[in-house]
């Protein structure tokens, strides 16, 4: 009872603070200095149609490298904690024919959508993180519907390390061939708005997509392998 | 105007789902309720002109997180049963 009333008072206090913030809130008339700079010069400097992507990959590329590293460490720790805890008998309950047939049609399409999202990250909304998450959700469908098929672990690990290495290598190349770490002008900027444009941005974002996709898939696969059949 | 009404309705549904996620005794229902919150949040992001965030929220919030929670719940229940 006392605990509940303390919680209630806390929630009410947060509500009052938020209400006071909201009552004086006015949406700004124009962008602040940094956002205004990106919106004004982003297209010309990076040759990128999607400003969000140019901020994520070029202007704030170092932060993206940190995010990818955090994801990598998370996947590694989950794999480490679940290591050697394989389920005794495989987790195989037969599924309905509908689910199996439908997923055989859907899985390649979902993979393709994920690849489309990260390859076109510099033109359309989305990019490496979004495409990687879509690929991982295709892997979830694969794991839960087609239990007899096996996913190649070596391929996943190769994709992960290759893309991580390529990402850092392209970033370091930027120091020597262009303005600085993760500068995208190491390739020519190309025609604005076409698939092969914006220098290194599509390459880097595709590598990030591969890395995020393989890492999230690895987390799900690790968790799936330690599941036992529920009776 | 119509967008404001849609956003308010979806925000109310999200509030109700948040209460369900906290209060419900069955953890599986709570996990699905938190997935529904992410689903409606992604629709609101699209209306607020942030498609980048919407794709992330839809894929991670309402698909990956829910499935990972289910895997972990299944594992925890198993460990508790055998003890």
């Amino acid at each position: 009872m006392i605990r509940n009333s303390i919680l209630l008072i806390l929630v009410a206090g947060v509500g009052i603070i938020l209400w006071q913030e909201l009552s004086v809130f006015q949406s700004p008339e124009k962008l602040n200095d940094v956002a205004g700079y990106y919106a004004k010069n982003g297209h010309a400097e990076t040759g990128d149609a999607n400003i969000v992507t140019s901020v994520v990959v070029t202007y704030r590329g170092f932060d993206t490298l940190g995010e990818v590293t955090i994801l990598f460490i998370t996947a590694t720790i989950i794999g480490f904690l679940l290591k050697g805890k394989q389920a005794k008998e495989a987790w195989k309950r037969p599924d309905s024919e509908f689910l199996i047939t439908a997923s055989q049609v859907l899985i390649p399409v979902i993979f393709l959508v994920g690849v489309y999202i990260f390859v076109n990250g510099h033109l359309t909304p989305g990019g490496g993180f979004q495409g990687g998450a879509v690929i991982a959700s295709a892997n979830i469908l694969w794991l839960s519907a087609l239990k007899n098929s096996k996913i190649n672990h070596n391929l996943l690990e190769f994709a992960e390390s290759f893309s991580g290495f390529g990402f850092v290598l392209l970033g370091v190349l930027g120091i020597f061939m262009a303005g600085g770490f993760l500068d995208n002008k190491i390739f020519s900027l190309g025609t604005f708005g076409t698939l092969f444009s914006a220098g290194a941005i599509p390459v880097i974002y595709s590598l990030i997509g591969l890395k995020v996709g393989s890492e999230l898939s690895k987390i799900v696969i690790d968790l799936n392998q330690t599941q036992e059949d529920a009776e | 105007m119509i967008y404001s009404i849609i956003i308010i309705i979806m925000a109310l549904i999200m509030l109700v789902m948040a209460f369900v996620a906290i209060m419900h005794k069955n953890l599986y229902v709570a996990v699905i309720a938190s997935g529904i919150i992410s689903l409606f949040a992604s629709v609101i992001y699209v209306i607020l002109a942030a498609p980048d965030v919407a794709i992330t929220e839809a894929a991670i919030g309402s698909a990956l997180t829910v499935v990972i929670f289910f895997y972990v719940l299944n594992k925890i229940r198993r460990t508790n049963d055998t003890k």
Side-chain angles (χ1 to χ4, degrees):
Chain A
M1 190 61 213
I2 293 171
R3 189 165 155 266
N4 277 350
S5 48
I6 289 174
L7 279 179
L8 205 65
I9 291 168
L10 271 177
V11 171
V14 173
I16 289 169
I17 293 170
L18 284 179
W19 180 256
Q20 281 177 343
E21 290 286 324
L22 189 66
S23 57
V24 297
F25 176 76
Q26 285 175 324
S27 65
E29 290 294 307
K30 60 186 184 67
L31 296 168
N32 63 26
D33 284 349
V34 180
Y37 179 84
Y38 292 155
K40 203 163 144 240
N41 303 320
H43 291 307
E45 280 186 2
T46 61
D48 191 340
N50 183 359
I51 289 290
V52 178
T53 302
S54 64
V55 172
V56 168
V57 179
T58 308
Y59 293 117
R60 293 281 176 270
F62 197 62
D63 299 19
T64 308
L65 182 61
E67 285 169 32
V68 172
T69 314
I70 289 171
L71 204 59
F72 170 69
I73 293 171
T74 314
T76 314
I77 289 174
I78 289 177
F80 177 72
L81 286 178
L82 295 176
K83 201 181 172 199
K85 286 186 184 167
Q86 295 263 344
K88 276 162 224 108
E89 72 264 45
W91 190 52
K92 275 176 194 157
R93 194 168 19 157
D95 278 313
S96 77
E97 199 64 35
F98 296 114
L99 181 64
I100 293 173
T101 314
S103 59
Q104 279 167 346
V105 178
L106 277 178
I107 288 169
V109 179
I110 301 176
F111 267 110
L112 204 61
V113 170
V115 172
Y116 175 87
I117 287 175
F118 68 64
V119 167
N120 286 287
H122 57 306
L123 304 175
T124 53
F129 290 99
Q130 291 88 341
V134 170
I135 287 178
S137 57
N139 265 322
I140 290 178
L141 185 59
W142 187 344
L143 282 172
S144 43
L146 311 172
K147 295 202 184 82
N148 290 320
S149 60
K150 282 198 82 88
I151 292 175
N152 192 340
H153 269 258
N154 292 334
L155 182 70
L156 267 184
E157 270 162 25
F158 174 76
E160 190 185 341
S161 19
F162 169 79
S163 51
F165 180 72
F167 181 25
V168 177
L169 187 73
L170 280 174
V172 173
L173 273 182
I175 297 178
F176 297 110
M177 295 166 64
F181 188 63
L182 282 172
D183 198 322
N184 69 324
K185 293 190 198 65
I186 55 177
F187 305 135
S188 86
L189 289 190
T191 321
F192 178 80
T194 52
L195 183 60
F196 294 100
S197 66
I201 285 180
V203 185
I204 292 176
Y205 230 13
S206 303
L207 289 174
I208 293 175
L210 272 180
K211 191 162 175 58
V212 172
S214 53
E215 269 159 10
L216 291 177
S217 309
K218 223 175 85 178
I219 293 176
V220 176
I221 290 169
D222 279 343
L223 281 169
N224 183 68
Q225 272 179 347
T226 57
Q227 300 289 310
E228 284 170 42
D229 205 349
E231 61 272 357
Chain B
M1 187 58 203
I2 184 92
Y3 285 134
S4 316
I5 295 170
I6 294 173
I7 287 180
I8 288 171
I9 291 171
M10 285 198 290
L12 286 177
I13 297 173
M14 283 164 68
L15 265 179
V16 173
M17 284 302 152
F19 269 107
V20 171
I22 296 172
M23 298 297 184
H24 207 281
K25 288 251 164 53
N26 190 345
L27 281 177
Y28 289 92
V29 177
V31 169
I32 289 177
S34 69
I36 292 172
I37 295 176
S38 293
L39 206 61
F40 280 106
S42 67
V43 179
I44 289 181
Y45 288 140
V46 172
I47 294 174
L48 296 176
D52 289 82
V53 192
I55 300 172
T56 320
E57 185 75 43
I60 292 185
S62 58
L64 273 173
T65 322
V66 171
V67 170
I68 288 177
F69 267 128
F70 275 152
Y71 278 147
V72 173
L73 270 181
N74 190 31
K75 213 171 156 44
I76 289 172
R77 200 192 52 190
R78 221 124 254 299
T79 328
N80 286 346
D81 284 352
T82 47
K83 258 176 196 166

